[in-house]
Amino acid sequence: MEIQLSQILFQIINFGVVAGALTFLMYKPILKTLQNRAKKIEEGQKAAEEVIKEKEAIEVLKQKASTDAKKEAAAVMAEAKTQVDEKKKEMMAKAKDEVKAFVEEERNKWENEKAKLMKQMESEFTSAVFQVVDKVLGAGVIDAKTHSKLIDQSIKEVTKTL
Amino acid sequence: MKHVTITSAIALSASQKKSLVEAIEKKHGKVTVTEEINPAVLGGIKVNIDTEQIDASVAHKLIQLQSKLS
């Protein structure tokens, strides 16, 4: 077998051309594609991490909002309860005052009525007593002996008073 | 000397007047006495010793009764 230099040279050139063509046409696009893919993956990971962070932040905010809302609701409830209690107390006090005033008014009415009746009865009684006394004394029913007894009693009273 | 006025519906008997005047003089010393008859006292007597008055008349008792009742 004879080695032909020209053949070898041709093969070398041929290999170089193929290698150059492959480098230019295949290696660089594939490398670029791989770099793009790696970049996209990295971006995707970053985006995912950001989403996770955002989600966590949202969760924290959500919990904070929930806690704040609960606190606010509790405060509102406490305030409402206080107001209701105050209103209740106020109404109770008012009702008590009204009842007391009503009772007092009725009692006064009753007392007045009673006093009026008593006065009327006393007046009638006094009038009756005076009428009787007037008739007894005016008609000369009391004789001199009775008058004398009355004077004796009066003298005793005057003597005691002295 | 103090002056005493005794008011009554009818005249006092001598003994009544005497006992009354004795009681008054025991307290106030010698007094001059005037008697008045006034049916308005109704019964008993009313004694005025100068400005002091002791009312033991039936009329006064009735007035007291009236003021107590009214």
Side-chain angles (χ1 to χ4, degrees):
Chain A
M1 189 172 171
E2 195 177 324
I3 296 171
Q4 290 183 356
L5 190 62
S6 61
Q7 195 67 32
I8 291 169
L9 192 65
F10 174 76
Q11 286 298 328
I12 289 168
I13 291 167
N14 194 25
F15 177 78
V17 169
V18 169
L22 280 174
T23 301
F24 184 75
L25 295 172
M26 297 293 287
Y27 178 71
K28 282 185 179 176
I30 288 170
L31 188 65
K32 197 178 177 183
T33 304
L34 285 173
Q35 282 175 344
N36 285 341
R37 185 177 168 77
K39 197 177 174 184
K40 277 184 182 175
I41 288 168
E42 195 179 338
E43 284 174 359
Q45 278 180 340
K46 278 184 184 175
E49 282 172 6
E50 280 176 14
V51 166
I52 288 167
K53 279 182 185 173
E54 279 179 16
K55 194 182 169 188
E56 283 173 356
I58 287 168
E59 195 64 34
V60 169
L61 284 173
K62 195 176 159 187
Q63 280 192 349
K64 192 173 181 296
S66 174
T67 309
D68 288 349
K70 278 179 185 173
K71 279 182 186 173
E72 200 174 331
V76 168
M77 282 295 287
E79 180 70 18
K81 193 175 180 300
T82 308
Q83 283 181 359
V84 166
D85 286 348
E86 280 175 8
K87 193 74 184 169
K88 194 177 162 187
K89 276 183 189 172
E90 195 181 311
M91 285 172 76
M92 285 292 285
K94 196 178 171 187
K96 273 185 184 175
D97 286 346
E98 281 177 3
V99 168
K100 196 177 171 185
F102 177 74
V103 168
E104 193 66 27
E105 193 183 334
E106 289 300 313
R107 185 182 290 154
N108 285 341
K109 275 184 191 171
W110 184 79
E111 290 286 347
N112 288 340
E113 195 65 28
K114 187 182 160 190
K116 201 174 160 186
L117 280 171
M118 285 297 288
K119 201 166 182 179
Q120 193 180 340
M121 282 173 67
E122 283 165 0
S123 175
E124 284 173 7
F125 176 72
T126 309
S127 176
V129 168
F130 270 83
Q131 278 178 9
V132 169
V133 171
D134 190 47
K135 280 189 179 174
V136 167
L137 297 174
V141 175
I142 295 181
D143 55 12
K145 196 177 170 186
T146 310
H147 265 302
S148 186
K149 278 186 180 176
L150 285 170
I151 288 168
D152 285 337
Q153 283 178 359
S154 294
I155 289 169
K156 281 180 189 170
E157 281 177 39
V158 170
T159 307
K160 273 187 188 175
T161 308
L162 286 167
Chain B
M1 187 183 288
K2 290 186 176 177
H3 181 72
V4 176
T5 306
I6 302 166
T7 310
S8 57
I10 61 165
L12 273 67
S13 69
S15 63
Q16 285 172 334
K17 187 181 170 184
K18 190 184 169 193
S19 67
L20 180 60
V21 171
E22 277 176 1
I24 293 167
E25 285 183 336
K26 199 175 176 183
K27 168 90 180 178
H28 294 279
K30 270 286 183 197
V31 293
T32 56
V33 179
T34 306
E35 279 188 82
E36 280 183 9
I37 305 298
N38 185 358
V41 297
L42 301 176
I45 58 167
K46 185 169 76 175
V47 179
N48 286 75
I49 307 166
D50 284 347
T51 53
E52 183 188 354
Q53 185 182 68
I54 303 166
D55 198 341
S57 68
V58 173
H60 180 66
K61 285 174 183 169
L62 282 172
I63 289 165
Q64 281 182 322
L65 176 68
Q66 189 182 23
S67 64
K68 276 183 185 174
L69 291 173
S70 56

